[in-house]
Amino acid sequence: MFTKSFAAALLLGCAALAASAADAPAKMAGGVLVGPNGMALYTFDKDMAGNGKSACSGPCATLWPPLMASAADQPVDGFTLVTRDDGGKQWAYKGKPLYYFQNDKAATDRMGDNFKDVWHLAK
C-alpha cells in the first residue's frame, strides 16, 4: 500500500516530467526537430558543438533565422543556450545552435537540408 508521502512524491515527479517536455523549445516530428511553429530546424557545420556561440550572423541569420530563446529560458532535456553576437540567446540541441530556413514556407518543407553541404536537418 502506498503512503500519502509516496503518492505525493510520485505526482510531483510526473508533473515535473510533463513540465519538462512542455518547456522544451522543439520536438521531434517526422524524424526531425521542429520549432514551436512546426517548421523544421537545421544545424550549421561551421558551428562548433558546445562552444556556446553561433557562427551565423548578419545576412546569414536573415536566411537562417535562429531559434531564439527568452532571457528567462533555461536548458532542458538536451537543449542548451548559446549567446549570439548581439547578446540574444539562441537554442541549441546537443551543443549545436538551431535555425529555421527562410525558404521553408510550410511545415512539411525541408528545402534547407544539405544546402551548400553545410546545413542539415536537426535530428
Side-chain angles (χ1 to χ4, degrees), residues 7-106:
L10 185 60
L11 284 172
L12 280 173
C14 289
L17 184 59
S20 173
D23 293 337
K27 65 179 182 176
M28 289 296 289
V32 301
L33 280 176
V34 298
N37 62 1
M39 300 297 285
L41 292 166
Y42 298 87
T43 59
F44 185 34
D45 286 349
K46 293 183 180 182
D47 284 328
M48 300 298 295
N51 80 346
K53 296 194 175 281
S54 166
C56 178
S57 60
C60 176
T62 299
L63 187 58
W64 298 93
L67 176 59
M68 297 301 291
S70 75
D73 284 330
Q74 296 295 315
V76 60
D77 296 333
F79 293 94
T80 56
L81 299 165
V82 299
T83 303
R84 299 191 49 77
D85 289 345
D86 63 5
K89 299 290 184 184
Q90 177 179 358
W91 285 108
Y93 184 65
K94 296 184 179 179
K96 294 282 282 186
L98 296 170
Y99 307 86
Y100 295 104
F101 183 46
Q102 183 183 25
N103 292 344
D104 285 351
K105 302 298 181 196

